[in-house]
Amino acid sequence: MENSDIVISVIFLSQTVVGILGNSFLVYHYLMLYYMRCRLKFTDWILQHLIVANFLTLLCKGIPHTVSAFGLKNFLNDIGCKLTFYLHRIGRGVSISSTCFLSVFQAITISPSASRWTQLKAKSPSYIASCVYMSWALSFLVNIAFPMDMRARQNNRNITRLRVYDTCSTVHHNKVGDIINAVLLSVPDVVFMVLMVWSSGYMVCILYRHKQRMKHIHRSTFSFRSSAEFRATKTILLLVSTFVFFYTISCLFQINLALFHNPTSLWVNMASVITACFPTVSPFLVISS
């Protein structure tokens, strides 16, 4: 192995292990709360779906690339390639939708009583719960055709139009078809991103207005900064900001990979590292708050 391969191997291994440990700690935390029969907030229920999505991303993306970086390139067969890419796409879709629903729900929760969202506060948990289940179904359906053209590397000798990755490859039909397919797959992500940015901006405005009002109150029995709503809002805003940051960089890498017929291993590895950053970092953002 070359020095660059060793560095990539260590990065993938460290990222996967740290991410799995962080998400496993949250699973243990929620299991203890269930055992103690503690009443969880609705945001905790959404976070549990995010944890499952994080595991899918780390296990289906991190482990294959870690093994590949250590030199074992052809350890997956056709079924393994199809399954890992399909589950990774599902985890990625549920990750963005869960983060979006966290942001939207918290924006409705902290909205002023005089706002138009007051009527939604009581019913928002049932609405958001239905949307979360629908996002799982949407991820299963939208990505159902994605693994059809996936192939194992050892079975690619008689196929010339291939886009080769580290562990697998996909059949390359034509650039126009690839662009149309990429656009169709990106539509749900764009919708979730717009909702996420809008709800986050709305929460920032609410917090700013409250801070301005509190400056004129010298004595108050209630401090929004020390309340559970403020801590939850701050955590969700931090999660959303982190997600948008890594997702934007990941999209830039994915566009680069889609435009080139045979991308270099450096671009493939960097795209995989960026993709696994949010599932690795997000549990520690939750734990820290």
Side-chain angles (χ1 to χ4, degrees):
M1 295 178 63
E2 299 180 358
N3 292 334
S4 59
D5 294 331
I6 296 176
V7 172
I8 291 296
S9 303
V10 172
I11 292 175
F12 276 130
L13 182 61
S14 303
Q15 192 179 42
T16 304
V17 171
V18 170
I20 291 177
L21 287 177
N23 286 280
S24 298
F25 178 83
L26 286 181
V27 171
Y28 171 77
H29 170 70
Y30 283 121
L31 287 176
M32 290 300 297
L33 292 179
Y34 277 122
Y35 177 76
M36 297 171 63
R37 297 184 178 179
C38 296
R39 183 178 180 181
L40 299 179
K41 293 186 292 185
F42 187 71
T43 51
D44 292 316
W45 182 81
I46 303 177
L47 280 172
Q48 292 169 16
H49 288 267
L50 181 61
I51 293 170
V52 175
N54 288 344
F55 272 116
L56 286 177
T57 303
L58 290 171
L59 294 176
C60 297
K61 196 75 171 180
I63 291 180
H65 280 274
T66 301
V67 175
S68 175
F70 275 104
L72 189 58
K73 301 287 185 180
N74 302 325
F75 69 99
L76 288 176
N77 55 17
D78 286 348
I79 296 178
C81 284
K82 294 177 187 295
L83 186 62
T84 53
F85 269 76
Y86 181 55
L87 292 178
H88 168 257
R89 292 289 305 182
I90 292 174
R92 182 178 178 275
V94 175
S95 179
I96 185 173
S97 62
S98 299
T99 309
C100 172
F101 295 141
L102 272 173
S103 182
V104 171
F105 175 76
Q106 191 63 22
I108 296 174
T109 300
I110 68 171
S111 60
S113 300
S115 69
R116 68 184 65 179
W117 304 110
T118 304
Q119 298 178 351
L120 284 176
K121 285 188 178 182
K123 298 181 180 180
S124 60
S126 60
Y127 291 155
I128 297 293
S130 300
C131 291
V132 169
Y133 288 126
M134 288 177 61
S135 70
W136 277 100
L138 182 65
S139 295
F140 276 101
L141 293 175
V142 169
N143 297 296
I144 193 69
F146 188 82
M148 296 301 179
D149 294 328
M150 297 303 302
R151 301 287 189 274
R153 291 187 60 168
Q154 64 265 32
N155 296 333
N156 295 330
R157 296 176 182 176
N158 298 326
I159 304 176
T160 56
R161 299 181 63 81
L162 291 171
R163 182 178 287 114
V164 181
Y165 300 102
D166 272 355
T167 57
C168 304
S169 60
T170 181
V171 178
H172 174 70
H173 299 290
N174 58 78
K175 185 167 290 187
V176 176
D178 291 342
I179 293 175
I180 294 175
N181 186 48
V183 170
L184 292 176
L185 290 175
S186 301
V187 170
D189 293 357
V190 172
V191 174
F192 287 130
M193 286 292 290
V194 171
L195 288 173
M196 198 183 305
V197 172
W198 169 81
S199 56
S200 299
Y202 181 69
M203 285 190 287
V204 170
C205 291
I206 292 176
L207 296 179
Y208 176 77
R209 291 172 186 171
H210 180 81
K211 182 179 179 180
Q212 293 298 111
R213 287 196 300 267
M214 291 299 293
K215 287 182 179 179
H216 303 287
I217 301 176
H218 299 287
R219 298 180 65 182
S220 176
T221 58
F222 174 74
S223 176
F224 189 77
R225 180 172 295 274
S226 61
S227 68
E229 288 80 6
F230 179 84
R231 293 195 302 271
T233 303
K234 185 174 69 173
T235 302
I236 291 171
L237 285 174
L238 188 59
L239 275 174
V240 171
S241 302
T242 306
F243 182 89
V244 171
F245 174 75
F246 286 124
Y247 182 81
T248 303
I249 298 177
S250 177
C251 284
L252 295 177
F253 277 99
Q254 294 300 328
I255 292 173
N256 181 279
L257 294 177
L259 293 177
F260 291 96
H261 180 61
N262 281 320
T264 63
S265 59
L266 176 62
W267 281 102
V268 174
N269 290 330
M270 291 179 65
S272 300
V273 170
I274 295 298
T275 300
C277 280
F278 180 75
T280 302
V281 174
S282 59
F284 296 99
L285 297 179
V286 178
I287 292 170
S288 64
S289 59

